[in-house]
Amino acid sequence: ADSTALLLAAVERWPGRIRALHIHHGLQAAADDFVLVCETVCAQAQVPLQVLRVNARHASGESPEDAARRARYTALAAAATEQGLSGVLLGQHADDQVETLLLALSRGAGLPGLSAMPQVIERGGVAFYRPLLGIAAADLRRWLVNEQIAFADDPSNLDERYTRNRIRVQLLPA
């Protein structure tokens, strides 16, 4: 939902200048369905779409989330550089920001960790922007539903084996 809302807002803001990049992690059965939703939304918005398949499998003792994140940023930076893009927009929103802060607190992070996600980061020589950090996930979803815009929900976001998801499912609602 967050990436779909971001894509459509970017198309409205910069018509004719947006390209969509979708990461296919291949880690779950629903991954191919995510591609279909992306293809539909991008076709309706007349945005070229590139699906980037990555190997996001984690090594023994390595965090699955970290492995997927590294694979994602590496693929996005390479694709952006290859296409001559000036930057990449990421769909992280206010709820993601709170989750990141609470995750850092739970791990005893110092001040750098408690600063959570910055608006702009650099990876692989590419600037990544997070323009939705001030917008709640519920507001993004409400807008998509009101506009009758299709989006995909990643079922792994509810898997409470992962600390971030326990924060999302149990702590944030409280």
Side-chain angles (χ1 to χ4, degrees), residues 151-170:
F151 59 90
D153 275 319
D154 181 345
S156 71
N157 285 336
L158 300 176
D159 184 346
E160 293 184 39
R161 289 178 295 170
Y162 303 110
T163 304
R164 178 179 291 276
N165 292 348
R166 284 194 305 277
I167 290 170
R168 176 180 300 129
V169 173
Q170 296 175 15

Side-chain angles (χ1 to χ4, degrees), residues 32-62:
D32 290 333
D33 294 336
F34 299 158
V35 172
L36 295 174
V37 172
C38 290
E39 289 172 343
T40 300
V41 171
C42 287
Q44 290 171 346
Q46 299 179 335
V47 172
L49 169 65
Q50 181 180 4
V51 176
L52 307 168
R53 294 182 182 270
V54 301
N55 178 359
R57 303 227 182 271
H58 65 285
S60 179
E62 181 182 28

Side-chain angles (χ1 to χ4, degrees), residues 4-154:
T4 300
L6 176 61
L7 174 70
L8 298 175
V11 167
E12 186 174 312
R13 174 69 173 88
W14 299 288
R17 296 178 51 199
I18 300 300
R19 294 186 179 134
L21 303 170
H22 173 72
I23 301 294
H24 188 306
H25 292 95
L27 295 175
Q28 56 183 288
D32 290 333
D33 294 336
F34 299 158
V35 172
L36 295 174
V37 172
C38 290
E39 289 172 343
T40 300
V41 171
C42 287
Q44 290 171 346
Q46 299 179 335
V47 172
L49 169 65
Q50 181 180 4
V51 176
L52 307 168
R53 294 182 182 270
V54 301
N55 178 359
R57 303 227 182 271
H58 65 285
S60 179
E62 181 182 28
S63 161
E65 297 101 325
D66 287 341
R69 185 180 309 106
R70 279 195 310 279
R72 199 168 39 247
Y73 279 116
T74 299
L76 289 170
T81 299
E82 178 183 296
Q83 294 183 33
L85 303 177
S86 60
V88 174
L89 302 176
L90 301 173
Q92 289 139 339
H93 45 70
D95 294 45
D96 294 322
Q97 184 72 298
V98 171
E99 291 166 11
T100 300
L101 173 65
L102 293 173
L103 191 58
L105 279 169
S106 75
R107 293 178 175 162
L111 288 178
L114 296 179
S115 65
M117 292 185 288
Q119 289 277 341
V120 181
I121 60 170
E122 185 273 329
R123 297 278 191 278
V126 174
F128 288 85
Y129 301 92
R130 296 180 174 117
L132 302 180
L133 288 180
I135 302 174
D139 292 337
L140 295 171
R141 287 175 176 278
R142 192 171 14 266
W143 177 74
L144 290 169
V145 169
N146 287 342
E147 297 296 318
Q148 299 179 355
I149 298 167
F151 59 90
D153 275 319
D154 181 345

